[in-house]
Amino acid sequence: GESVGLHLPTLSVQEGDNSIINCAYSNSASDYFIWYKQESGKGPQFIIDIRSNMDKRQGQRVTVLLNKTVKHLSLQIAATQPGDSAVYFCAENVYNFNKFYFGSGTKLNVKP
Amino acid sequence: DAGVIQSPRHEVTEMGQEVTLRCKPISGHNSLFWYRQTMMRGLELLIYFNNNVPIDDSGMPEDRFSAKMPNASFSTLKIQPSEPRDSAVYFCASSLRPPGEQYFGPGTRLTVT
């Protein structure tokens, strides 16, 4: 039979605009989260992490927001560049367990 | 540091053959992970080791899959016999301490015909 692939949400933005990528996590006990970036043909690469005792964490051009009430995580990328085009995954973890569960990912397309 | 090293980068084999994927973690990292990525199922954890000991292999699909870590600098993932549905990209990752950032290798693209 015909195989059905994952529907990968796609976000298209203009170069220079800000991007917001969202992630809903499943386990209310999860208390550590990581955002990864995966470029075509490469392995996932760490972007930023956040623990559940924080609501917000900032890095270079990236900000992660955590809303534990609704189990939602977002990644904000400022002044998006063509090099930001990739698939972005959130990963959740329950502390003391060295096991992350990855979301299905969001594809970011940056238009020049 | 060279990062996580995986070999081969590409593997094409026929159904029924044995396949061995190899991984060298980053020196000093004490946790190692094997993942499988497909369009249908996304990124799935197969097994992870801590200090060379398998901790959780609940993601290993079936007995055809096995993984070993004979020392801190080498791990293998073996599929015997291989089937077309095993076709995927297999990633190895390592981390310094749990839980924390995992460093992924470039992956092995496996095609079973």
Side-chain angles (χ1 to χ4, degrees):
Chain A
E2 187 177 42
S3 63
V4 178
L6 280 175
H7 170 66
L8 206 60
T10 300
L11 175 65
S12 294
V13 300
Q14 206 68 39
E15 181 179 359
D17 288 350
N18 297 334
S19 303
I20 300 177
I21 300 171
N22 296 304
C23 175
Y25 63 93
S26 56
N27 188 350
S28 57
S30 294
D31 50 13
Y32 179 54
F33 306 87
I34 296 180
W35 278 101
Y36 284 90
K37 171 187 180 183
Q38 186 176 23
E39 296 175 278
S40 181
K42 297 183 178 179
Q45 179 183 14
F46 174 92
I47 301 174
I48 192 169
D49 60 358
I50 189 168
R51 298 196 182 274
S52 59
N53 60 353
M54 302 174 71
D55 297 324
K56 179 180 179 179
R57 189 158 189 230
Q58 288 184 291
Q60 187 177 15
R61 280 202 309 119
V62 295
T63 301
V64 55
L65 299 178
L66 175 61
N67 185 331
K68 296 180 287 293
T69 303
V70 295
K71 294 190 288 187
H72 184 267
L73 201 64
S74 68
L75 177 71
Q76 300 178 359
I77 304 173
T80 314
Q81 302 169 359
D84 295 327
S85 293
V87 176
Y88 290 80
F89 295 95
C90 65
E92 60 181 298
N93 169 269
V94 177
Y95 194 70
N96 287 333
F97 291 90
N98 197 12
K99 187 171 181 176
F100 284 86
Y101 294 92
F102 284 76
S104 55
T106 296
K107 186 174 183 179
L108 177 65
N109 284 332
V110 182
K111 297 175 285 187
Chain B
D1 199 321
V4 175
I5 298 173
Q6 291 187 247
S7 65
R9 293 295 310 277
H10 301 273
E11 177 81 30
V12 180
T13 190
E14 292 183 346
M15 182 174 63
Q17 296 298 305
E18 177 180 295
V19 175
T20 300
L21 311 181
R22 297 173 176 80
C23 175
K24 176 178 168 52
I26 293 173
S27 177
H29 283 193
N30 57 21
S31 294
L32 183 139
F33 309 81
W34 282 102
Y35 290 89
R36 176 172 68 176
Q37 187 174 43
T38 62
M39 282 302 297
M40 287 191 64
R41 300 175 68 88
L43 195 61
E44 303 174 278
L45 177 66
L46 300 177
I47 184 171
Y48 82 86
F49 296 83
N50 197 40
N51 293 323
N52 311 338
V53 176
I55 302 299
D56 188 333
D57 64 354
S58 59
M60 296 285 262
E62 47 198 273
D63 292 344
R64 297 185 298 108
F65 285 69
S66 63
K68 294 182 180 179
M69 192 165 186
N71 57 62
S73 59
F74 184 66
S75 177
T76 60
L77 177 68
K78 186 177 291 186
I79 308 172
Q80 167 64 20
S82 59
E83 296 182 3
R85 61 192 168 122
D86 301 329
S87 297
V89 180
Y90 290 82
F91 289 103
C92 175
S94 68
S95 69
L96 181 59
R97 60 186 180 280
E101 176 185 354
Q102 295 180 13
Y103 294 80
F104 283 76
T108 295
R109 180 173 294 278
L110 173 65
T111 302
V112 183
T113 60

